[in-house]
Amino acid sequence: MNEPAINVRGRDKEDGSAPRSRLRQILPREFASLIALAALAVMLTVIMLELQTSATAYIIGESHWSKAQQYASHVLHGYAASGDPQQLKLARDALRVPLSDHQARLALERDPPDLAAARQGFLRGLNAPQDVDRMIRMYRYFNNAPFFRDSVAQWRIGDAHVIALQGIADEMEAAHAAGQVTAVQTHAWQRRILELDATLRPIEAAFSQSLVDGARMLKTILTVASILLFLAIAGVLILILRWSLRRIHASEGMFRSAFHQAAVGMLKMKLDGRILEANEAIGEILNCPPEELQGKLLGELLDADALARIALAEDRGIDWTLCETPIEQCFRRVDGESRWLRWTASMIDSDTDDEDRVFAVLEDVSESRRLGEEMRYQASHDAMTGLVNRREIDHRLQQSIDDGRSFGDAHAFLFLDLDQFKLINDTCGHVAGDQLLRQIAGVLMLHMRSNDWMGRLGGDEFAIFLDHTGLDEALHIAERLRRALSASTFAWDGKRFNVTCSIGIARISGEQVDASDVLRSADRACYQAKEDGRNCIRVYRESDQLMSRRRDDLAWVAEIREAIVEGRIVLHAQRIEALHGPATLSYEILVRLVDAQGVVYPPDRFLPAAERFGEAVSIDRLVIAMALRQLDDHPAHLQALDLCHLNISAQSIANPDFCSHVANLLDISRVPPAKLCFELTETAAIGNMTRAREFIDEMRRRGCKIALDDFGSGMASFAYLKTLPVDVLKIDGVFIRDLANNAVDPVLVRSMCEVARSLGKITVAEWVEDRALIDRLHELGVDQAQGYGIHEPCALDELIAATTTHKAAENF
């Protein structure tokens, strides 16, 4: 009777308690799995949000980085010309921001990482203290992650350019401290600064864009992971829903904290551009409380042109795909002022409805744009007169030539050069000269047409462009300008000066190759106006022989300047042979110019143009410096050397700074002054006797020798021997060349040698083309001989190598 009951209970126990027991066993295991999955979901969410917050911190850091770099570039551009130490200090203070970030990155790349140094670097880089630890963690653990790896690569490239910018600052500081800054150096520095600044801008944009792309990738990863996790835990979602919601709310709180405390503006909008939420930063930028921005349409804040660029056709809203990359647009503040903002928009899923939202990050770049525009203005305008400068003149002329080539337009160009400007500058000083240039610019501008423009080429030279003007009308306008200047006077310190000018006119059309053709043509015409007595106007015509000669000279001047900069001035040497006593090593340094194709030109091809246009001083300085350096570098050759002759031009003798420059070169050189002989032509010495005597006295005081070149070519050669304390007389080749063919030259040469010997001077016969003359020169009393019959000039390096080898063989 009781057995069935037992069975029932037994079955009851088996069928009831066993499933509940399995449920109790399974539920903790599944619950633990679900908790693990939920933890994984929360961890992924927190990591993604942390990475997004870290990426935002790097974007904000890049803003400080780029602003500091651009400000430093702006200040250094001005410092290149002014040399103001305060500007240099401002630039270095600004550069400290990107350089500190650079030091932080290097500290993190050490093995092991120097976290303290990295933290200090980021803080000095103006990063928010609460973001520094995030930035360090992101760099340590995700520096090779997609997108952030690209940002780091752009960072490294940007650091290299910033270091280059710092190098330019050091170079300019050293040059300004030495007082050796030239206009060419200043322009070169400014060009390099502008090029670095232009190169860094896309790098900065690429850095931010890579982080934005990374944020989008994180969003995609988070979405996919969320779907997978949702499918895995859908059956028991109720068990972890409240816990997940708490984590989401916590994360949302973190994001909202970052949203409202961010240093850059942020907007949350609907797809139609209506603002749902704005943070405090954008409120400050637009001068409007964030609460008042809510409900406004983005189109109400954008400039009309800016809105038109991103609007969809037929008023269908905004094309947000155009805003996914950083763009700069003009926004209108509530007070009417315009501000330029760089902003990027991202699509986000709504948490309240099915409609997507737009999240935008906005940064105020108004100051950066202002600085950029100011730098562009400074790069294209003359600081003294406010007129466009040479660089902008070239650009506009080239544009006019291109237009003429495309549309057949013809214009006229005036090259205006003030007459006797140097007189006012030297009489009243450079301040007066600067004021005169400003006055001239003002007078000319009053008499110009509205569609013409004017620029300053440099010094007292001005450029005037006459739009769509033929040569006849250009002559009429030029005459009006000439009369206007002639009628004006310049008053300074109780003195009054009449102002006149010489004007050259050239036609502009598509026939010219480039702007330099127009400038050369107008300059030649202006030069002809000066040659014809000044205060007149000349028109360039290709058939004019005088202008053609000046064109060739100007081409040589340009070639000389490029050759000096590019190191294409080379030294040759011609030996001088002693006719009495033991053989000695003496030679004269000769200069050669090598063009870009490698063709070597002798001095008679380019020195006349150099002397005519004031480049002889630069060549003399370069030749002396190069010769001293080569002698310094070859002590064995220097020991064997008896005398090295160096030519000095008339322009160098007349230059008041040349003597001190040569003295400075001698002071820093190891070459004994007694082994140097400076050659002055008779005409150069006579043409500036005072300067010549000062130079001769200073060089002889140091132990150098002085040679009077081309002796006998002047009518008063012997008379000047009493006033010029020279050591060597180089007899002009006209007396040597035909020595064997007439009876007069031997008598003159003998008399020169006798006078020189009685005064204790050495004689050198030039132009000795035939060794058969050696005996005859010896009979006449000549001490030394020089010419192609003695030695054909060769490269100085070859002569040094040959004499050094010969000396070594003798010692052996």
Side-chain angles (χ1 to χ4, degrees), residues 139 158 202 276 278 316 329 399 417 523 537 619 643 664 689 737 742 786 790 802-803 811:
Y139 195 92
L276 298 175
R316 291 190 295 111
Q329 290 187 300
Q399 185 63 49
D417 192 342
D523 180 37
I537 303 167
I619 294 177
L643 205 59
N664 290 335
M689 183 64 73
R737 182 173 50 197
N742 63 68
Q786 178 183 358
I790 304 298
T803 55
N811 293 337

Side-chain angles (χ1 to χ4, degrees), residues 48-280:
M48 298 303 176
L49 291 174
E50 180 69 17
L51 288 176
Q52 286 182 331
T53 306
S54 301
T56 302
Y58 270 101
I59 293 175
I60 297 171
E62 186 276 333
S63 172
H64 298 312
W65 193 100
S66 61
K67 286 181 178 178
Q69 171 269 312
Q70 291 167 14
Y71 181 74
S73 298
H74 169 71
V75 176
L76 286 176
H77 187 278
Y79 174 72
S82 68
D84 185 356
Q86 184 61 31
Q87 286 187 306
L88 179 62
K89 181 179 182 301
L90 292 174
R92 292 197 184 282
D93 290 344
L95 284 174
R96 192 174 295 116
V97 173
L99 290 175
S100 296
D101 288 339
H102 170 68
Q103 294 299 326
R105 179 173 58 77
L106 294 180
L108 291 174
E109 292 176 353
R110 293 176 190 150
D111 189 12
D114 189 343
L115 300 183
R119 185 173 288 103
Q120 290 299 316
F122 281 131
L123 289 174
R124 286 195 300 269
L126 302 184
N127 295 285
Q130 64 269 23
D131 291 335
V132 170
D133 289 338
R134 289 192 182 100
M135 297 172 72
I136 291 175
R137 286 194 298 271
M138 185 171 184
Y139 195 92
R140 289 188 65 188
Y141 303 117
F142 298 94
N143 63 329
N144 287 319
F147 298 100
F148 189 59
R149 177 178 59 238
D150 298 336
S151 294
V152 172
Q154 296 295 332
W155 188 0
R156 291 192 176 99
I157 296 172
D159 282 351
H161 287 79
V162 169
I163 292 171
L165 195 62
Q166 184 186 38
I168 294 175
D170 295 339
E171 179 182 341
M172 291 193 296
E173 182 180 16
H176 279 295
Q180 296 177 351
V181 177
T182 65
V184 174
Q185 286 177 309
T186 299
H187 294 160
W189 288 331
Q190 290 177 337
R191 183 175 66 254
R192 289 166 60 193
I193 292 170
L194 291 173
E195 291 173 351
L196 283 174
D197 184 69
T199 303
L200 279 167
R201 288 180 182 270
I203 294 173
E204 296 161 1
F207 179 90
S208 299
Q209 181 59 43
S210 181
L211 290 174
V212 170
D213 293 341
R216 294 196 188 100
M217 183 194 72
L218 291 174
K219 171 193 168 183
T220 302
I221 294 174
L222 181 60
T223 301
V224 173
S226 299
I227 293 174
L228 294 175
L229 290 171
F230 174 80
L231 295 175
I233 63 175
V236 289
L237 183 61
I238 193 64
L239 298 177
I240 59 173
L241 181 59
R242 293 182 61 188
W243 181 84
S244 297
L245 287 175
R246 285 197 301 270
R247 297 301 301 174
I248 291 173
H249 289 325
S251 299
E252 183 182 356
M254 293 171 57
F255 179 78
R256 286 199 167 276
S257 176
F259 179 86
H260 289 287
Q261 296 178 10
V264 294
M266 295 183 181
L267 290 176
K268 184 178 179 181
M269 297 172 286
K270 290 186 175 183
L271 291 180
D272 61 359
R274 190 168 301 281
I275 298 173
L276 298 175
E277 195 169 359
N279 70 347
E280 286 73 9

